[in-house]
Amino acid sequence: MCVAVPAEVIEIKENEALVNFGGVKKTVNINLVDDLKIGDYVLLHAGCAMQKVDKEEAEKTLEIFRLLSEND
Amino acid sequence: MKYVKEFRNPSLVKNMIKKIGSDVEREITIMEVCGTHTMSIFKSGIRDLIPSNIKLISGPGCPVCVTSQAYIDTAIELTKRDDVIITTFGDMLKVPGNNSSLQNEKALGRDIRMVYSPLDSLKIAKENPDREVIFLAVGFETTAPAIALSIKIASEENIKNYSILQSIKTMPETMKQLVLDEDIKIDGFLCPGHVSTVIGAKPYEFLANEFEVPAVIAGFESGDIAIGLYTLIEMIKNNTNEVKNVYSRFVKYEGSEKAISSIYEIFEESDAVWRGLGNISGTGLKLKQKYDSFNAETKLGINLLNDKPIKGCICGDILKGKKNPLQCKLFSKVCNPLNPIGACMVSEEGTCAAYYKYKNIG
Ligand code: SF4
Ligand code: SF4
């Protein structure tokens, strides 16, 4: 029931946004997220954007990923 | 795809997996609560690559699987009314009831429609003003905001022929039940990632503080899971009891204020009946009195049918992490995705379905 893939916001109109989700475009409700901008990535669930990606935090996790996977 | 591929980097994942549990000797049991994690763990091969003393067990985190038999049977009964249109997430269609399934009833011509969102159900209600459109409202904290939104709009727009058959459940208290169950013995939790985008990290803290079970919130790519397991095992090893969040690109400590407030504007806490786990207080959401006119049960004057478990199916023990699907006599030969006997074989995220798909049995 859950989709874990972030979708890119490509158009915003009032309380809906058009998102691109691996090539598939879909209109979703955006009432639950603040300050959405075109180019943001959002997590979708049941036709609603639930949360937008925090780009800095994504970088931090990737950094941990790189560090932890280094051969020691 | 952005925010996907980089978290799947195969060489990094491979290196990380080698470190997972490499220096622990004792047996460690970790529960991944969420069905999407179960799928991802199988898909990435992590289960087979980590040392055998690290046991990964699946939990009750698939909304379709934990829906009670009584609920399914009641939904099937409702489809027999000509004045009703049932709308549902696709996964619910195949769940076997005691005598039929929604899919069977649909084939018989009953008006059952698959939707991606409760908001689509609302649209169907608007288009069919002379019939009652009932949405099968199953799901966790993740799905609850969308359902709440549909009720809010229905109330504001005065849509009188929309209602929900409610069975919304909430997670943290349920995890407590599993911790208290002496037969299971969980050393650490991989918390449900999507639920956490809504509720945040805070609601799991009591598990670490009161029950000394550490927990990690992780995403769904193979790298996320590898980091999550590594972090969790480090804590278990060092007797650190905390909740750590390695899915911070989507999960905030406080969760999503907007989603939480939209849930509690419409719903309030209630008991909930879980398949296998039974009735647990404080693990459900029900419509507030003010919105009870959207409750299909009161509206149509019906009660849920009695719970009649399916013979031979051990879904209940599987959802608690007490047994695995290979211990079910019906697994594979009798029960498989084409002919599911129990709910855990139906949903993509169901434990039995995951075992079937990735164990190459059958
Ligand atoms: S993300 Fe939530 S609803 Fe989806 S499978 Fe996991 S626990 Fe279940
Ligand atoms: S294999 Fe089928 S019958 Fe057995 S527990 Fe799983 S769903 Fe139930």
Side-chain angles (χ1 to χ4, degrees):
Chain A
M1 243 172 74
C2 304
V3 188
V5 180
E8 188 184 2
V9 176
I10 48 181
E11 227 178 276
I12 297 176
K13 30 188 174 173
E14 283 175 58
N15 56 0
E16 287 188 332
L18 185 68
V19 299
N20 180 358
F21 164 78
V24 184
K25 292 193 179 129
K26 252 184 113 168
T27 302
V28 299
N29 180 289
I30 52 169
N31 276 6
L32 299 169
V33 269
D34 283 321
D35 311 320
L36 207 57
K37 290 184 209 67
I38 288 173
D40 278 341
Y41 280 76
V42 287
L43 211 58
L44 305 179
H45 187 79
C48 297
M50 299 301 301
Q51 190 68 270
K52 66 176 173 194
V53 81
D54 183 325
K55 294 175 184 170
E56 267 171 46
E57 290 294 330
E59 274 314 312
K60 274 192 217 162
T61 308
L62 280 176
E63 195 47 43
I64 298 175
F65 191 21
R66 279 181 216 117
L67 278 175
L68 288 179
S69 61
E70 264 163 26
N71 292 319
D72 43 18
Chain B
M1 259 181 288
K2 213 161 176 235
Y3 301 111
V4 174
K5 234 173 119 192
E6 55 272 50
F7 291 95
R8 276 185 194 164
N9 183 323
S11 61
L12 296 191
V13 174
K14 218 169 118 199
N15 277 345
M16 271 224 72
I17 290 177
K18 277 191 214 139
K19 295 191 186 173
I20 293 176
S22 57
D23 52 353
V24 259
E25 266 150 36
R26 70 177 180 102
E27 191 159 287
I28 287 181
T29 303
I30 291 171
M31 174 177 276
E32 83 268 0
V33 176
C34 158
T36 311
H37 275 146
T38 305
M39 286 300 286
S40 209
I41 286 171
F42 269 115
K43 208 160 136 192
S44 57
I46 290 178
R47 197 181 291 259
D48 294 328
L49 295 171
I50 58 174
S52 59
N53 55 323
I54 311 290
K55 271 178 58 194
L56 299 180
I57 58 173
S58 315
C62 159
V64 176
C65 304
V66 296
T67 301
S68 74
Q69 204 55 39
Y71 183 91
I72 306 283
D73 285 332
T74 307
I76 290 171
E77 225 17 68
L78 277 176
T79 65
K80 297 181 180 158
R81 299 175 56 141
D82 289 333
D83 55 344
V84 162
I85 299 174
I86 296 286
T87 57
T88 175
F89 292 127
D91 275 354
M92 292 289 285
L93 286 173
K94 279 188 266 165
V95 181
N98 271 290
N99 302 309
S100 182
S101 68
L102 291 167
Q103 197 173 38
N104 281 346
E105 296 302 316
K106 193 170 158 63
L108 292 173
R110 313 279 181 208
D111 202 342
I112 301 163
R113 304 187 194 182
M114 195 188 114
V115 292
Y116 289 104
S117 167
L119 300 174
D120 297 335
S121 307
L122 212 50
K123 242 182 255 160
I124 296 174
K126 283 193 211 169
E127 290 158 7
N128 296 275
D130 50 347
R131 292 167 77 199
E132 182 68 18
V133 173
I134 304 176
F135 177 66
L136 302 184
V138 301
F140 296 127
E141 288 95 329
T142 339
T143 321
I147 301 173
L149 198 60
S150 78
I151 300 289
K152 193 177 170 182
I153 298 172
S155 163
E156 282 167 3
E157 297 186 8
N158 205 12
I159 300 171
K160 292 214 154 39
N161 62 323
Y162 175 66
S163 56
I164 60 172
L165 188 63
Q166 48 186 3
S167 180
I168 307 173
K169 299 184 167 66
T170 56
M171 266 300 168
E173 274 297 305
T174 313
M175 289 159 73
K176 175 172 141 190
Q177 287 295 311
L178 296 171
V179 168
L180 292 174
D181 193 323
E182 284 175 2
D183 293 345
I184 310 177
K185 223 196 97 29
I186 295 166
D187 295 300
F189 280 113
L190 209 53
C191 295
H194 290 134
V195 164
S196 309
T197 61
V198 174
I199 66 175
K202 209 170 146 193
Y204 304 108
E205 280 180 338
F206 77 101
L207 292 168
N209 298 341
E210 281 172 47
F211 300 97
E212 303 184 334
V213 181
V216 169
I217 300 167
F220 297 92
E221 303 309 329
S222 44
D224 288 312
I225 292 172
I227 301 172
L229 288 176
Y230 178 85
T231 311
L232 190 53
I233 291 169
E234 284 302 295
M235 283 201 281
I236 295 170
K237 232 168 59 188
N238 302 327
N239 285 319
T240 314
N241 295 312
E242 280 175 36
V243 177
K244 291 204 169 149
N245 175 13
V246 296
Y247 197 29
S248 53
R249 62 186 185 279
F250 281 121
V251 176
K252 306 282 150 238
Y253 177 71
E254 303 279 351
S256 160
E257 231 177 274
K258 256 192 154 169
I260 296 172
S261 60
S262 71
I263 295 175
Y264 290 99
E265 185 184 339
I266 307 289
F267 294 107
E268 62 192 18
E269 203 183 278
S270 72
D271 292 0
V273 181
W274 296 64
R275 185 187 297 261
L277 285 76
N279 191 356
I280 314 175
S281 73
T283 63
L285 291 172
K286 66 166 193 216
L287 287 162
K288 285 187 175 167
Q289 192 54 41
K290 190 177 156 200
Y291 295 102
D292 206 45
S293 57
F294 296 100
N295 176 356
E297 284 168 77
T298 20
K299 205 166 173 184
L300 305 185
I302 52 161
N303 286 316
L304 285 194
L305 298 168
N306 289 333
D307 217 35
K308 275 198 242 150
I310 291 175
K311 253 204 178 148
C313 171
I314 58 162
C315 268
D317 281 341
I318 291 175
L319 290 165
K320 284 188 271 195
K322 281 189 185 174
K323 288 193 174 147
N324 76 51
L326 303 178
Q327 290 167 284
C328 174
K329 286 198 197 88
L330 305 180
F331 180 75
S332 185
K333 264 182 271 150
V334 181
C335 176
N336 51 60
L338 284 177
N339 178 42
I341 305 292
C344 302
M345 189 57 93
V346 173
S347 161
E348 269 268 333
E349 296 133 20
T351 309
C352 298
Y355 267 72
Y356 186 87
K357 185 162 177 192
Y358 291 106
K359 284 278 170 182
N360 293 325
I361 298 169

